[in-house]
Amino acid sequence: MRCLNLFLPKLLLMVAVIHLVDAAAANAQQFSFAGKRQKDAINFTMVRNLVIVPLYINGKGPFNFILDTGVGPMIITDTTLVKSLDLKNLRPIKINGLGKGVEIDAFLSGDIAAKIGRATISNMPAAILKEDIFGLSSYVGTRIYGLLGHSFFNSFIVELKYANKRLLFNLPGTKKKIRGEKIPVQIINSKPYINIDIETAELGKVTAKMVVDNGASHAISLETYEEKPFPAPSNAIQANLGVGLSGPISGSIGRIPLVHLGSFTMKDVITSYPIYSDVAAKTYLRGRNGNLGADILSRFNIIFDYAGEAMYVRQNQYYKRPFEHDMSGIEFFMEEIDKKRFFISRIEANSPAEQSGLMPEDEILTINFVRTSKLSLNDITRIFRSEDGKPVFISVYRNGSVLIRLIKLKKRI
């Protein structure tokens, strides 16, 4: 488990195309309400920009799932569900993913009956990974069982109110006043695509075709331009961008001067540039330029209307939040078995953390003399992104000893 988590601190949930060709997938039902009910609303939890919802499966739960526009069929990442739900008639399948590895093994089930709020679905196809390669629970600090995507968004008009962590969903055709600026959407391979305008020093103003992926915690990822690697800025830094279904994804991180989403303009946006062979060269991704993630999407309250091929955006209280990258050079994850514990998974080269002597596998005990047991993942992330030049005291446990280190945060991009 520990070695898998080395790839997680900047999770890139760009999930594979799954070739589901059996009748269960072709005839999948949609979520619906019983009786005359037409709408519902639930609260969600947000960690590292990801939307976490409670889902009941086959009458059991709730299980925490990430609500993710970037996936098609449901993906179950926690294999313990196979036994606890007594799933049978599992068919072995192969999944092609993004990353340096090869195909991975999974199972296909058509025995899933799910419930979210008061909406239910039966005979929903789901891919069940034989191994939890994402380690989502460590990344968000609470147990995550999988990803819920197209089957939910395709069933309703879905409103994500990021500002107050509220999920509203109603049946298409229901009388509802839709507020926000309309952005045209194309649904391709069960995922929403939009066009945005970006301005870079290398290419000038470019219209980019992006998959809308609120299950990716980054702001924006640019993969390809005219079937070549998208040019990164000269001051970009090398980085581990996360993990795909087939392994780690490497690349660089820089800034784009301007990103235009409809009439909204965002400046100095943190941008990921995956290595071309790891991501863009995958044949099933051709025809798109990149991925629009939750660090941008969470700055809006968004309505997704798949049936109407549109999404509607209204800026919220997070809109003017500056885009910041980690200034410490520490990538970390959380384990919670008997108690909450934080570990360093990776140290970026030439970073304040490397210069201070911190190392992978160090357990973080305190930050600025506050025990990490009293901090959340979001708290620590905010500290490490807080202010250029700010001193941060960190104590770690290593090989039986407690070490105290001082790092000075540095804005590297």
Side-chain angles (χ1 to χ4, degrees):
M1 180 67 178
R2 182 67 57 83
C3 62
L4 283 176
N5 283 323
L6 295 178
F7 304 115
L8 293 173
K10 296 189 185 74
L11 185 66
L12 189 60
L13 285 178
M14 300 192 299
V15 183
V17 173
I18 302 175
H19 302 290
L20 302 177
V21 295
D22 58 53
N27 299 314
Q29 298 180 16
Q30 292 187 315
F31 279 89
S32 61
F33 295 116
K36 295 183 179 181
R37 175 172 289 276
Q38 295 184 314
K39 62 183 179 179
D40 199 6
I42 63 171
N43 295 327
F44 64 80
T45 303
M46 188 165 68
V47 180
R48 287 178 161 175
N49 298 320
L50 303 179
V51 173
I52 302 169
V53 297
L55 188 72
Y56 292 83
I57 301 177
N58 294 355
K60 297 182 179 180
F63 304 105
N64 288 327
F65 271 68
I66 293 174
L67 193 61
D68 187 351
T69 56
V71 301
M74 172 193 276
I75 297 179
I76 294 176
T77 57
D78 190 322
T79 55
T80 62
L81 282 186
V82 175
K83 184 176 181 179
S84 63
L85 298 177
D86 193 27
L87 296 178
K88 299 177 181 178
N89 302 319
L90 300 178
R91 182 168 72 85
I93 60 172
K94 296 284 188 180
I95 299 178
N96 294 307
L98 307 184
K100 298 178 181 178
V102 295
E103 291 182 327
I104 66 169
D105 294 317
F107 298 105
L108 176 66
S109 172
D111 295 334
I112 299 295
K115 178 176 178 287
I116 179 170
R118 299 183 186 182
T120 60
I121 187 173
S122 59
N123 304 119
M124 179 171 62
I128 305 168
L129 304 186
K130 287 186 69 175
E131 182 180 0
D132 182 7
I133 59 140
F134 286 137
L136 294 174
S137 300
S138 296
Y139 182 75
V140 301
T142 190
R143 191 164 188 180
I144 300 294
Y145 291 85
L147 311 166
L148 177 65
H150 180 262
S151 57
F152 180 77
F153 286 96
N154 194 49
S155 300
F156 303 109
I157 296 174
V158 178
E159 182 171 5
L160 282 173
K161 289 190 171 183
Y162 281 101
N164 56 3
K165 300 178 180 60
R166 189 77 169 157
L167 172 67
L168 292 74
F169 46 103
N170 58 276
L171 296 174
T174 305
K175 290 184 179 180
K176 175 181 173 61
K177 184 177 181 180
I178 296 181
R179 299 171 58 194
E181 181 176 337
K182 182 178 181 180
I183 307 291
V185 169
Q186 283 184 291
I187 306 299
I188 303 173
N189 292 327
S190 302
K191 301 176 182 67
Y193 285 76
I194 64 172
N195 290 326
I196 65 172
D197 290 328
I198 59 177
E199 297 184 37
T200 74
E202 295 74 26
L203 299 175
K205 189 172 183 178
V206 173
T207 297
K209 185 175 183 178
M210 312 291 286
V211 60
V212 180
D213 187 357
N214 79 311
S217 59
H218 61 247
I220 189 171
S221 172
L222 292 174
E223 302 147 6
T224 180
Y225 181 72
E226 296 182 346
E227 298 189 7
K228 296 178 181 179
F230 204 103
S234 58
N235 61 348
I237 61 174
Q238 297 300 305
N240 173 29
L241 302 181
V243 61
L245 281 176
S246 295
I249 298 173
S250 299
S252 59
I253 293 178
R255 288 183 184 269
I256 289 182
L258 295 172
V259 173
H260 305 282
L261 177 61
S263 65
F264 297 97
T265 298
M266 289 154 282
K267 299 179 180 180
D268 295 326
V269 178
I270 297 291
T271 305
S272 301
Y273 298 88
I275 290 178
Y276 186 76
S277 59
D278 286 358
V279 176
K282 302 286 185 178
T283 57
Y284 51 81
L285 292 185
R286 290 179 181 172
R288 86 180 198 190
N289 299 106
N291 172 292
L292 189 68
D295 194 21
I296 284 181
L297 298 173
S298 63
R299 296 161 192 266
F300 301 87
N301 290 340
I302 304 179
I303 296 175
F304 292 96
D305 181 4
Y306 280 22
E309 296 185 320
M311 74 180 200
Y312 300 83
V313 296
R314 287 180 294 133
Q315 70 180 58
N316 62 30
Q317 65 196 50
Y318 304 128
Y319 179 72
K320 295 183 179 180
R321 179 183 63 198
F323 290 92
E324 292 296 355
H325 180 56
D326 166 73
M327 300 182 195
S328 69
I330 298 173
E331 295 181 356
F332 64 96
F333 65 94
M334 191 185 99
E335 284 188 357
E336 189 169 18
I337 301 174
D338 54 341
K339 63 178 182 178
K340 185 165 60 174
R341 302 169 69 189
F342 294 89
F343 295 88
I344 295 176
S345 57
R346 182 176 176 269
I347 298 292
E348 292 189 357
N350 302 314
S351 67
E354 183 184 64
Q355 294 167 7
S356 74
L358 292 172
M359 299 177 64
E361 301 294 316
D362 285 350
E363 180 180 356
I364 305 174
L365 301 178
T366 68
I367 299 177
N368 288 336
F369 309 107
V370 176
R371 291 187 178 275
T372 52
S373 59
K374 297 182 179 180
L375 300 173
S376 68
L377 282 161
N378 284 337
D379 293 333
I380 297 176
T381 298
R382 281 193 290 267
I383 292 172
F384 289 162
R385 294 184 178 185
S386 57
E387 183 182 348
D388 186 35
K390 180 179 180 178
V392 176
F393 287 91
I394 300 175
S395 70
V396 299
Y397 179 80
R398 182 196 304 166
N399 299 329
S401 300
V402 175
L403 309 174
I404 299 177
R405 296 289 184 265
L406 170 64
I407 67 173
K408 184 176 288 188
L409 300 182
K410 181 179 180 181
K411 190 171 183 177
R412 293 172 289 153
I413 55 175

